[in-house]
Amino acid sequence: SMREKLSLSAFRHTAEYDCAIANRMEQRFLKDGAITPVISPATAKELRYGENPHQKAWVYKDPFDKGLASIVPIQGKELSYNNLLDADAAWRVNGDVSLACKDKAVVSIIKHLNPCGIASSNDVLTSLKQAWDGDKVSAFGSIICFNQELSLECAKWLDDKFVEVILAPSFTKEALELFATKKNLRLLEINPHNGEYSSPVIRSISGGFVMQDEDAGLDTEFKVVTKKQFKDEIMELSNFAIMASKHLKSNAIGLFINEDGVYKMIGAGMGNPNRLISIEQAVGKANENGYQDLSNAVLISDAFFPFADNIDLIQPTGIKYIIQPGGSIKDKSVIKACDEQEIAMLFTGRRHFRH
């Protein structure tokens, strides 16, 4: 039994060593192509359970990437499988939006891997309040990510609310003292990402894995394809809206506004096989949030509109601005429907599916 234990340990160690060397050489010498991920049981930590209590789970740390998987919470109970996935989702959308909104305070709120609230403004507390208002019901038991230091004012505002995990670059001493009374709340110190991802996206399938690089970078090739043009304030909102909506699960529709310099999501429909249902859900949530007049809102679709029926559904809502990738064989009929309804539509030329 001792020889079995030691031989397994030895070969696991050499496997990790060889993978690490190959991975580093790939980073230096390989410009494009499949890479060798470093996934070793030596760096694995067993979690309390997986997605559900009857499932076993582990988190594997990349020895060369000191990211979320390696962070030890400042306080709170052990992170679960779902906590880690949601925290990662909150960090990714927050970083993407931060790239689009330079020097702004961005707060993202995640529930079941979907942004249920996100806002950007000149003030952290304002962004927090506006993000929370995006979906107050879903924000219960959520994961929240900040791109700036979390202040005592934010901690006080969250004091009577149930939150699972909070991520921020730093916490003030006073905020930590207040949070210390919440023994189960996990606090993680992590900086926003800079748009570059060192680790690939890996998912298992039967008999193997699929791997891809992250959907990174800002959309820059904007083309208004309708007679009606975009107002300046709507164009200013567009980068924020696209970066936020790209993290909604497909089929995704997001509604966003610029309200006195505060960019925020006011409604979303996501994860539906039917895009029309996603539109109905996004509009319904916006109305529920008190936004009956949607004439200054921008609607984002993560994929092109395959038919003009999307425009027929949008027209009665009062929405006048649509952003989508374009590229459908039915683009001309969709554009014609927009022109008939005096709706402005912009093509980005880039799709953002997230399954």
Side-chain angles (χ1 to χ4, degrees), residues 72-88:
V72 177
I74 297 173
Q75 70 163 56
K77 60 184 180 181
E78 181 185 353
L79 290 163
S80 70
Y81 178 94
N82 291 333
N83 290 155
L84 287 166
L85 289 178
D86 284 336
D88 183 71

Side-chain angles (χ1 to χ4, degrees), residues 116 133-136 265-267 284-292:
C116 61
D133 284 346
D135 191 338
K136 295 179 181 179
M265 184 171 74
I266 58 173
K285 176 54 69 174
N287 294 159
E288 180 184 317
N289 286 335
Y291 294 93
Q292 307 301 323

